[in-house]
Amino acid sequence: MNPRLVFWVPAALRTAIILAGCATLGWMFGWVQGLVLALLAMMVMVFVQLSYLYQLSNWMDDPQSAKLPDGWGAWTNIFSRLYRMRRDDEKNQAELTEWLARFRQAMHLLPDGVVIMDDVLFLEWCNPAAEKHLGLTHERDKGMRVTNLVRSPDFMDYIILGRYEQPLTISFRERKLIVHIIPFENRRQILVTHDATESERIEEMRRDFIANASHELRTPLTVIVGFLEIAASEGLDAATRSAHLKLMTEQGHRMQHLIEDMLTLSRLESVDYPMRPERVDVAQLMEQVLRDARALSAGKHEITMAVNGPDIMGSYEELHSAFGNLASNAVRYTPAGGKIQLVWKEYEGGVKFMVEDTGIGISPEHISRLTERFYRVDKSRSRETQGTGLGLAIVKHVLLRHGSTLQIKSEAGKGSSFLVCLPKTAIVQKQPELLLN
C-alpha cells in the first residue's frame, strides 16, 4: 500500500470524526458551543503533536537514555519505525565493533608489519610487527612523519622517487626488511614490512652447504680422476699401481661416508621421517659404541666405559649415530696414548651420556660453531682423520628429535668433554613386580 495513504487516510478519518462530533454537539446545544468545542479539540490535538515533537527532540539529543513513547495515531507508526531503526543500528554497530575487533586482532597477529599513513606520510596506525621491525610505538609516534622515524637513506630515496610498483629491501636495526608502500583511498597509504632476516640466513646456509659439499666431493674426485688419467697414459709398475689404487679406494670411501652423512642429516631434518620411539637397551648400545671406538682406535688409546643408568625410549639407530659420532671424534682428536671415557648415568634431571678425552682440546671461540655443517677447527687435521664435517650437525639434530641438549666443555691442549642430557620423560619406568603366593 502507498505510504502516503497509510499516513493521510487515518489522519483524515480522525479529523473528520472529531469535526462530526463537534457538529453534532453544535446542532444539539448551539453552533457557538460547537465551534468552541471544535477549537478546544484542535488545541488538544496541537498540544499532543507538540508533546510528541518535544519527546522526539529529547530522544534525538540522547537516544541512549531517553525513551520513545508508544504514541497515538500516526505517531505510533513513526515511533515504531524509529525504534526498529534504532534496534537495527545497534545491531549493525555491534557487528561493526565485532568485525573491527577481529580486524585488529588479525593485524596484531600478522607476522608482517602494517603501517597506515596519510597522504603526507604521517603515521595513523601500526601493528606490533611494524613496531618491532621499524622501532615504532603507536601511542608515542602517532601523528609523526614516518620518514622522520625510519632513518634509512634507501628508504628516503624510495619515498622521494615514489616508484612503489616494486618492493624495496633495506637493512635496518640489524634486520633485512622488505618494505612496500601501497596507496589506497584518496589520501592514505599502507606501508608493509616483511622480515627476511631468517630467510636470508637460511639462503646463506644453503649456499654455504652447497659450496662446502661441492668442495668436499671435488677433492676426492680430483684425486681419483688424476690417478685414472695417469694409469691410462703411462705404464705403471705393480707397486705404483697398487699405491694409486689404495689412495683411490680411500678417497672413494671418503666420498661414500660424506654422502651417507648428508643423507642421514637430510632424513633427520625431514618432517616426512618422524621418529618412532622404542625401548633402547642402553647396555647393548654402549657396548656397540665402545666396540666401534676401539676398532677406530686400533689399540692406540685407553678407552673405558661406565654404565649406571636406566633404559630410555627413543630411536636406537639415531642414538647410536649420535653417540658414535661423539666417541669417534674423541678418538680422532686424541693423540696416541691418550685416554677416552664413555659414561652413561642417571642424575636428578634425567640421564646423561658423557664422552671425556685427553685430546688436543678446542679453543673457546670455536665451541659455539661446532654443530654447524662442515665447520672444522683445523681443516687439515680433519682431512687427515677422514672426518666429513657433518658429525656434530647430525648429533645436534638427533638430540633435538629426542628433546635433549648438548653441552661442550673444552680447553686447548687439555682435552674435551661432550655431555648429552636427556629428560626424565625419556626414562623407561620400571614395572612393579607381582608377588605370587
Side-chain angles (χ1 to χ4, degrees):
M1 187 178 291
N2 194 324
R4 293 184 179 181
L5 294 178
V6 172
F7 177 81
W8 286 110
V9 169
L13 288 174
R14 285 191 294 271
T15 304
I17 291 171
I18 292 173
L19 292 178
C22 293
T24 302
L25 292 174
W27 176 73
M28 294 174 59
F29 301 102
W31 293 109
V32 174
Q33 288 83 351
L35 289 174
V36 171
L37 185 61
L39 180 60
L40 291 174
M42 296 302 296
M43 291 177 64
V44 169
M45 291 180 62
V46 170
F47 177 79
V48 170
Q49 305 303 315
L50 291 175
S51 174
Y52 286 145
L53 285 172
Y54 176 74
Q55 293 181 66
L56 178 60
S57 176
N58 287 339
W59 179 81
M60 293 180 67
D61 291 337
D62 189 7
Q64 299 299 327
S65 59
K67 183 179 179 181
L68 283 171
D70 293 333
W72 177 77
W75 286 102
T76 301
N77 185 40
I78 293 173
F79 289 146
S80 176
R81 292 171 62 185
L82 286 173
Y83 175 77
R84 286 196 299 270
M85 289 174 62
R86 177 185 173 183
R87 184 182 59 191
D88 292 343
D89 182 63
E90 290 177 348
K91 181 180 178 181
N92 294 335
Q93 188 71 23
E95 292 178 352
L96 181 61
T97 302
E98 182 182 356
W99 278 107
L100 184 59
R102 290 182 181 177
F103 171 77
R104 288 180 175 174
Q105 183 181 14
M107 289 296 104
H108 276 69
L109 295 176
L110 272 181
D112 291 342
V114 179
V115 179
I116 298 179
M117 310 174 293
D118 62 13
D119 57 334
V120 289
L121 305 180
F122 283 99
L123 189 147
E124 294 185 351
W125 181 85
C126 63
N127 68 345
E131 294 181 343
K132 181 180 178 181
H133 293 169
L134 303 174
L136 305 175
T137 302
H138 179 250
E139 292 77 10
R140 180 193 66 199
D141 299 328
K142 184 178 181 180
M144 297 185 66
R145 192 176 177 87
V146 173
T147 49
N148 293 334
L149 301 172
V150 182
R151 299 286 185 172
S152 169
D154 293 335
F155 182 72
M156 291 293 295
D157 293 341
Y158 184 63
I159 295 293
I160 293 171
L161 293 175
R163 297 173 181 172
Y164 302 148
E165 296 84 7
Q166 297 295 327
L168 170 71
T169 302
I170 62 173
S171 296
F172 187 73
R173 292 169 56 87
E174 299 182 354
R175 297 176 184 272
K176 184 74 70 172
L177 297 178
I178 300 175
V179 299
H180 195 190
I181 293 180
I182 306 170
F184 84 109
E185 294 185 348
N186 292 329
R187 302 173 62 84
R188 281 182 174 79
Q189 301 177 85
I190 296 178
L191 170 64
V192 180
T193 63
H194 175 72
D195 189 352
T197 307
E198 185 66 15
S199 302
E200 193 77 12
R201 186 185 69 83
I202 293 174
E203 179 63 22
E204 185 178 356
M205 288 177 60
R206 186 189 67 83
R207 290 195 298 266
D208 291 344
F209 179 78
I210 292 175
N212 287 323
S214 301
H215 176 74
E216 294 294 334
L217 289 171
R218 184 169 61 245
T219 302
L221 278 174
T222 301
V223 174
I224 293 173
V225 171
F227 285 149
L228 289 174
E229 289 176 348
I230 293 173
S233 60
E234 301 179 10
L236 301 177
D237 56 72
T240 304
R241 184 167 58 253
S242 176
H244 286 188
L245 288 173
K246 180 181 179 181
L247 288 172
M248 285 191 291
T249 302
E250 290 176 354
Q251 296 300 322
H253 287 159
R254 180 181 170 187
M255 282 195 299
Q256 183 180 9
H257 293 155
L258 176 61
I259 292 171
E260 287 175 352
D261 282 352
M262 290 172 64
L263 291 174
T264 298
L265 193 57
S266 175
R267 185 173 66 250
L268 291 172
E269 292 179 329
S270 175
V271 296
D272 298 326
Y273 187 74
M275 186 183 72
R276 295 177 175 84
E278 59 183 348
R279 178 166 184 156
V280 177
D281 187 335
V282 173
Q284 178 184 345
L285 173 63
M286 293 292 291
E287 283 290 343
Q288 187 173 356
V289 172
L290 179 63
R291 286 197 303 270
D292 294 343
R294 285 177 173 172
L296 182 63
S297 171
K300 298 177 183 178
H301 307 87
E302 181 184 340
I303 305 176
T304 59
M305 181 182 73
V307 178
N308 185 20
D311 291 345
I312 59 171
M313 295 298 294
S315 168
Y316 185 97
E317 179 184 353
E318 293 181 12
L319 290 172
H320 173 255
S321 176
F323 293 176
N325 269 302
L326 294 175
S328 63
N329 280 347
V331 172
R332 289 190 177 100
Y333 295 100
T334 299
K339 297 181 180 180
I340 300 170
Q341 186 179 19
L342 309 178
V343 178
W344 175 268
K345 66 179 181 179
E346 187 174 6
Y347 74 108
E348 184 178 350
V351 286
K352 58 186 177 182
F353 169 75
M354 183 168 57
V355 179
E356 290 184 323
D357 63 58
T358 58
I360 61 175
I362 307 165
S363 299
E365 64 269 18
H366 297 292
I367 291 179
S368 62
R369 300 189 60 189
L370 287 179
T371 55
E372 294 181 11
R373 302 174 187 181
F374 296 112
Y375 184 80
R376 292 185 175 94
V377 176
D378 186 344
K379 295 184 179 180
S380 60
R381 184 174 179 86
S382 295
R383 292 191 177 94
E384 291 173 4
T385 57
Q386 302 298 314
T388 63
L390 294 175
L392 289 179
I394 291 173
V395 171
K396 180 182 75 171
H397 283 86
V398 168
L399 298 186
L400 284 174
R401 286 163 65 91
H402 286 77
S404 310
T405 59
L406 176 65
Q407 300 175 14
I408 305 173
K409 296 179 181 179
S410 184
E411 187 175 347
K414 295 187 178 181
S416 304
S417 171
F418 289 79
L419 180 63
V420 174
C421 298
L422 293 99
K424 278 186 175 181
T425 53
I427 298 176
V428 175
Q429 301 297 326
K430 294 182 179 180
Q431 298 294 331
E433 297 183 0
L434 296 177
L435 298 178
L436 300 177
N437 294 326

